[in-house]
Amino acid sequence: MSAPLLEVRDLVTWIDTGAAPLRAVDGVSFIIEAAETFALLGESGCGKSMTALSLMRLLPDAARIVSGQVRLNGHDILALPESAMRAVRGDRMAMIFQEPAASLNAVMTVGAQIDEVLQQHTPLRGAAARTRCIELLDAVGIPDAAKRMEEYPFQMSGGMKQRVMIAMALACDPSLLVADEPTTALDVTIQAQVLELLRGKQSERGMAVLLITHDLGVVAEMAHRVGVMYAGELVEIASRETFFSRPAHPYSRKLFEAVPRGGGRGGALAVIAGVVPRLTQVFAGCRFADRCEHVMPHCQTSPPPWAELEDGQRVRCHLPFEGKALAHGEVAVGNTSQDSDGTPLLKVKDLKIHFPIRKGVLRSVAGYVRAVDGVSLDIPSHRTLALVGESGCGKTTLGKGLLRLYPLTGGSIEFAGSELSALSYEAMRKHRKALQIIFQDPYSSLNPRMRVMDIVQEGMHALGIGGDARERERLVDMLLEQVGLSPEMRYRYPHEFSGGQRQRIAIARALAVEPKLIVCDEPTSALDVSVQAQILNLLRDLQQRLGLAYLFITHNISVVDYLAHHVAVMYLGRIVETGTVEEVLRAPKHPYTQALLSAVPRIDTATKREVVRLHGELPSPSNPPQGCHFAPRCPKVVEECRMRYPGAVKMTPTHIVKCHLYGGEAS
């Protein structure tokens, strides 16, 4: 039997913190065969990325590899001096980092950055190197590669920057590719393209992949084997088929139960109580014991041994494994909110938000970015409207425009019977408390110099809510309890909280002024699946108890399926399809909606999905295509699509689509 391509034995990596070392990677062992994808799964803080950086020997200054072996093709790369490691890194093993914008050099052209890799590891120079750069960019699907290689990273979309990172990683045909959350920040359509690209290159070159992710759908689609990591150590290793049919470790099962499922609206998602333990401590027993529903006395005092199960599955747990298959069924369906009489709380008609493009010394207007270009939608009280679409389509601009945080170019916004579009800044103030927003990144949206109490009270002070100081303090305590935080936390600063806790603070701040409608702008996109479940449960419960309405902006279709009542699909500043969740997600009509839904990775490994490929990038909103904006990318385009924008067609009283395939008057 041939030796594995990569063999990791008892890898231990510590980070010096001044007091006790943080044991980020604590005795991790696994192997990866040639042409195999091994997925490393787990929550943030479990040590996944630190494992990858240890393999590449790219650790931060405070970190060091204490012990262990990492053998690549039989050679221990931990024993190499740094000068020899430079020849391995980028050549025999390469890495794709999570955030391409931060990983690419902002002051170097794309071509120069790929050429840098070639000069380090190959004899190619001059015209030969340029030809190779063009070949690599063309291979990863960058159109007009010869021209684009002269561009800088800021001139490219997120998906194209990630493709450049892949081109750099593949430049020297590595035997092992380490991909650290390569699709986390991407839309589902771009994610599908990147995953297809990685699969294709792996098949062509026989390359092994270490895939680090917290997305179970991506694991189901890409992995051959799966390793589950918790608190610095592996707790389960299994083949993809075995892992998705019968995960053994209680932590693995909880990760599955926390994923929103279709048709599950009304049932609470399973959550994992507590947080990942601090890795500065020396563990006496099982590291998951304090969060485990099946904990036994000896779990607290004795480290669990590895148990060998069927089909090569291994689990680190004291529990006897009973071989039960995981139930992939839907959670209980219930009523997600109070009844609504159908009367719109918010009524938007033909809303336009255009940003001027200024050029020249005199800064004259040379054109407009049509970020929102004639949007109409209704949101009833006590209901959730999900707004979905690719990055750059105008979702966030629309959400902020509804709150009058951007100047409006045209259209009307009617809220609770009052017209808001023409109000002055001062006149708008009295409506501010009824309309609030939760931003995507809780860390950057919270003032790091303010304590939690001041953050939550700020809106009360500004809008004259809550009475005197003692009454406001009581309200803050009540709000913190309402969002699942302890009142004792009110004197802490944002940096002292986890990502999920910071998002709860942001929700408490929005609730402090007693809103009727909250714009939720990707509130769970940066969170692990277990923390996402907590926030979704909280939003659902708040809607039930307080009768809130939500505009929920997201690209996560499973979240839409769980939380929303209605869906609006947005493309290049316009709504192309609206309807109930059942109508849009179960029977999509617009070709763009069909492509969007086909690109969503599924946990169900038995069903093979067919991805509708979209060619090209999202057009610029400053120069939208003539006719239907989707026509240049549409697989079902007809000549009429290129001539006129389609009018609205009612498929049912609630299901509306704008597409020439279904007739209707052109607009």
Side-chain angles (χ1 to χ4, degrees), residues 198-220:
L198 287 175
R199 278 197 306 272
K201 296 306 171 188
Q202 183 179 33
S203 177
E204 287 174 17
R205 306 176 184 214
M207 177 178 65
V209 177
L210 173 61
L211 176 66
I212 296 171
T213 184
H214 61 258
D215 190 326
L216 284 164
V218 172
V219 173

Side-chain angles (χ1 to χ4, degrees), residues 60-120:
D61 292 340
R64 57 193 170 93
I65 297 173
V66 176
S67 62
Q69 290 183 329
V70 177
R71 293 187 174 276
L72 183 66
N73 287 323
H75 302 287
D76 188 2
I77 61 176
L78 298 186
L80 296 176
E82 176 57 26
S83 57
M85 187 63 197
R86 289 194 200 105
V88 174
R89 193 187 299 124
D91 183 13
R92 292 162 56 195
M93 58 192 301
M95 186 166 181
I96 303 170
F97 295 92
Q98 179 172 356
E99 180 47 68
S103 304
L104 294 172
N105 193 321
V107 297
M108 290 177 66
T109 64
V110 164
Q113 296 186 60
I114 300 175
D115 184 62
E116 195 174 39
V117 178
L118 298 175
Q119 292 202 32
Q120 176 70 26

Side-chain angles (χ1 to χ4, degrees), residues 93-343:
M93 58 192 301
M95 186 166 181
I96 303 170
F97 295 92
Q98 179 172 356
E99 180 47 68
S103 304
L104 294 172
N105 193 321
V107 297
M108 290 177 66
T109 64
V110 164
Q113 296 186 60
I114 300 175
D115 184 62
E116 195 174 39
V117 178
L118 298 175
Q119 292 202 32
Q120 176 70 26
H121 299 290
T122 75
L124 296 176
R125 298 292 184 273
R130 176 181 171 80
T131 301
R132 177 62 175 156
C133 287
I134 294 172
E135 288 175 356
L136 286 164
L137 290 174
D138 188 60
V140 297
I142 300 257
D144 198 5
K147 178 182 176 183
R148 300 307 291 264
M149 69 175 289
E150 304 299 334
E151 295 182 354
Y152 291 88
F154 75 87
Q155 295 174 282
M156 296 186 164
S157 66
M160 292 184 76
K161 283 196 282 275
Q162 193 63 288
R163 289 167 184 264
V164 171
M165 286 289 298
I166 295 172
M168 292 173 64
L170 299 179
C172 299
D173 293 325
S175 302
L176 173 69
L177 178 66
V178 180
D180 187 4
E181 300 274 11
T183 61
T184 295
L186 305 179
D187 297 313
V188 289
T189 50
I190 306 300
Q191 174 180 264
Q193 294 171 17
V194 169
L195 294 180
E196 184 180 8
L197 173 63
L198 287 175
R199 278 197 306 272
K201 296 306 171 188
Q202 183 179 33
S203 177
E204 287 174 17
R205 306 176 184 214
M207 177 178 65
V209 177
L210 173 61
L211 176 66
I212 296 171
T213 184
H214 61 258
D215 190 326
L216 284 164
V218 172
V219 173
E221 184 162 314
M222 293 291 292
H224 297 97
R225 288 190 307 123
V226 182
V228 181
M229 200 164 183
Y230 184 78
E233 66 179 13
L234 283 167
V235 297
E236 183 170 357
I237 297 176
S239 68
R240 176 184 62 184
E241 292 75 15
T242 301
F243 180 72
F244 279 88
S245 61
R246 48 182 176 85
H249 198 279
Y251 176 61
S252 304
R253 286 179 166 262
K254 276 294 184 182
L255 289 177
F256 275 97
E257 292 169 6
V259 176
R261 305 284 170 81
R265 291 186 305 282
L269 295 171
V271 298
I272 307 175
V275 295
V276 178
R278 278 195 272 184
L279 301 183
T280 51
Q281 62 183 295
V282 177
F283 293 94
C286 175
R287 302 181 183 197
F288 189 61
D290 291 340
R291 306 175 73 189
C292 183
E293 296 175 349
H294 309 286
V295 64
M296 299 175 288
H298 59 284
C299 296
Q300 303 280 7
T301 57
S302 174
W306 280 104
E308 301 285 342
L309 309 177
E310 298 176 0
D311 302 321
Q313 186 177 24
R314 301 172 67 223
V315 61
R316 193 193 296 260
C317 187
H318 287 298
L319 285 172
F321 181 64
E322 300 175 357
K324 294 179 180 177
L326 180 70
H328 283 295
E330 299 170 351
V331 294
V333 178
N335 183 21
T336 58
S337 71
Q338 301 174 20
D339 291 335
S340 171
D341 61 7
T343 303

Side-chain angles (χ1 to χ4, degrees), residues 22-25 42-50 229-233 251 276-279 528:
L22 189 150
R23 297 166 173 81
V25 183
E43 293 173 281
S44 296
C46 285
K48 306 187 301 298
S49 293
M50 197 56 66
M229 200 164 183
Y230 184 78
E233 66 179 13
Y251 176 61
V276 178
R278 278 195 272 184
L279 301 183
D528 292 316

Side-chain angles (χ1 to χ4, degrees), residues 25 286 297 300 352 365 393 454 491 656:
V25 183
C286 175
Q300 303 280 7
K352 296 179 181 178
V365 176
C393 71
D454 300 321
Y491 296 116
I656 299 171

